[in-house]
Amino acid sequence: MKELYALIGQPLGHSFSATYFNDKFAREGIDACYQLWPLKSISELPGMITVHPNLKGFNVTIPYKREVMEYLNEVSDDAREAGAVNCVKVEQQSDAIRLRGFNTDIIGFSTALCEFINVAELPDLKVLVLGSGGAASAVCIALKRLGTEFLIVSRNKQTAAKSIDSNRVIEYSELTPQLIDEHRLIINTTPLGMTPEINVAPPFPWQYLSEKHYFFDLIYNPSKTLAMRIAEAHGAKVCNGLKMLYSQADAAWKIWQDESSAI
Ligand code: NAP
């Protein structure tokens, strides 16, 4: 039987993952197929797994990255630390099914960042992370491991601190020219500027950016967000989220293929 992979989430419109994996299977002659499973509730997951005995793995997107954890037999250290699972390996055993959860956004982001900025320069760069959601958690874990100092910029310190490192959260109103001068890498983890609402940008005082700044936007659609265009106009070097997207998908594929996977 054809191997099966899937994406769970709600809603699922156009999916990068489905196109990416189905193109890969066609190109590399892999007898497999990647399907979209828009689940109205995460409680539908066990039933879907039972009726698809050829399922080898699935990706998880909004809003189930956290909720899916209670359905898993095992969660990797990375996923536990991030509080989010975006990749699940399904191990069909003789009389049971074992589900193992991973977070590939951390490795995806690290890989993309190290391609954008020289690794040797990273520990000297202080970072401002805009937003405090699931993607921000993955970014912060990667930054800690790379030895980079960072602050999280949120609309609301109290709510952000519940889900993320509370000592490091500031609000947009606390951003000063001096703080921005000291923090040379700005990372957007908010969805602001993403298709279809492409004419918005995070409420950041972009005028204080200069040639010494880097701006990394996790958004990949459009390929150049309004925030990237503004940052570039002030001299900053910019990068979108496409490399991160490919890297996290490649990491998922490795997990699904490797019997002893541990990320
Ligand atoms: P999320 O949890 O829904 O939101 C991220 C954070 O953005 C929120 O916690 C919030 O932080 C801030 N935010 C949301 N709406 C805002 C608004 N109207 N104004 C200002 N701030 C707002 O989303 P996520 O899962 O972290 O994903 C965020 C983005 O990263 C999405 O665009 C997603 O596509 C992208 N992403 C890309 C990749 C990749 O591979 N390139 C991987 C993962 C995610 P505060 O409440 O603290 O302000």
Side-chain angles (χ1 to χ4, degrees):
M1 211 187 316
K2 235 185 212 304
E3 286 192 350
L4 179 65
Y5 299 89
L7 172 66
I8 66 163
Q10 176 70 17
L12 294 178
H14 168 77
S15 156
F16 158 84
S17 301
T19 309
Y20 178 83
F21 283 111
N22 284 321
D23 284 356
K24 177 184 176 74
F25 299 155
R27 206 175 47 243
E28 297 178 17
I30 300 168
D31 191 22
C33 140
Y34 192 103
Q35 295 180 348
L36 297 183
W37 291 358
L39 306 185
K40 286 196 186 76
S41 156
I42 188 70
S43 61
E44 293 172 23
L45 180 64
M48 290 298 281
I49 294 174
T50 308
V51 298
H52 292 96
N54 52 340
L55 184 70
K56 298 289 172 199
F58 58 93
N59 289 118
V60 185
T61 189
I62 295 169
Y64 301 134
K65 286 187 180 185
R66 184 179 285 274
E67 286 177 55
V68 75
M69 286 201 215
E70 65 187 84
Y71 292 84
L72 307 179
N73 301 95
E74 198 184 305
V75 174
S76 75
D77 292 345
D78 271 5
R80 197 170 299 287
E81 194 178 346
V85 162
N86 71 338
C87 167
V88 176
K89 183 174 166 76
V90 181
E91 293 173 345
Q92 307 271 1
Q93 296 169 344
S94 52
D95 55 351
I97 294 169
R98 193 166 172 75
L99 303 178
R100 299 171 64 201
F102 299 86
N103 185 307
T104 62
D105 280 339
I106 301 170
I107 182 81
F109 172 73
S110 299
T111 308
L113 183 66
C114 294
E115 225 170 74
F116 178 40
I117 299 174
N118 190 327
V119 185
E121 209 184 329
L122 281 173
D124 299 329
L125 284 180
K126 289 187 181 176
V127 184
L128 294 173
V129 178
L130 313 184
S132 67
S137 298
V139 164
C140 292
I141 293 169
L143 291 174
K144 276 187 204 161
R145 291 180 188 171
L146 290 163
T148 311
E149 247 184 78
F150 63 89
L151 284 176
I152 296 140
V153 187
S154 169
R155 290 166 300 174
N156 184 311
K157 236 186 230 183
Q158 272 74 41
T159 49
K162 280 187 197 146
S163 56
I164 219 150
D165 197 342
S166 56
N167 298 323
R168 306 193 202 220
V169 186
I170 62 166
E171 293 189 1
Y172 287 92
S173 57
E174 293 175 78
L175 288 167
T176 60
Q178 193 196 337
L179 203 71
I180 295 170
D181 189 62
E182 287 166 7
H183 291 76
R184 289 172 47 220
L185 169 59
I186 318 298
I187 301 172
N188 177 36
T189 75
T190 80
L192 297 175
M194 194 166 71
T195 302
E197 296 195 36
I198 58 169
N199 292 320
V200 288
F204 182 84
W206 302 102
Q207 67 273 24
Y208 300 124
L209 294 188
S210 66
E211 293 76 15
K212 69 178 188 180
H213 283 93
Y214 295 92
F215 176 61
F216 188 122
D217 201 328
L218 260 60
I219 294 172
Y220 49 86
N221 186 8
S223 58
K224 198 172 263 189
T225 59
L226 176 61
M228 286 171 70
R229 281 189 270 130
I230 300 171
E232 210 169 36
H234 286 93
K237 293 166 210 57
V238 301
C239 176
N240 68 18
L242 201 59
K243 175 71 199 182
M244 174 176 172
L245 189 69
Y246 283 116
S247 300
Q248 61 80 24
D250 287 343
W253 183 245
K254 276 195 196 129
I255 288 170
W256 293 333
Q257 294 309 297
D258 176 11
E259 296 298 321
S260 59
S261 55
I263 278 199

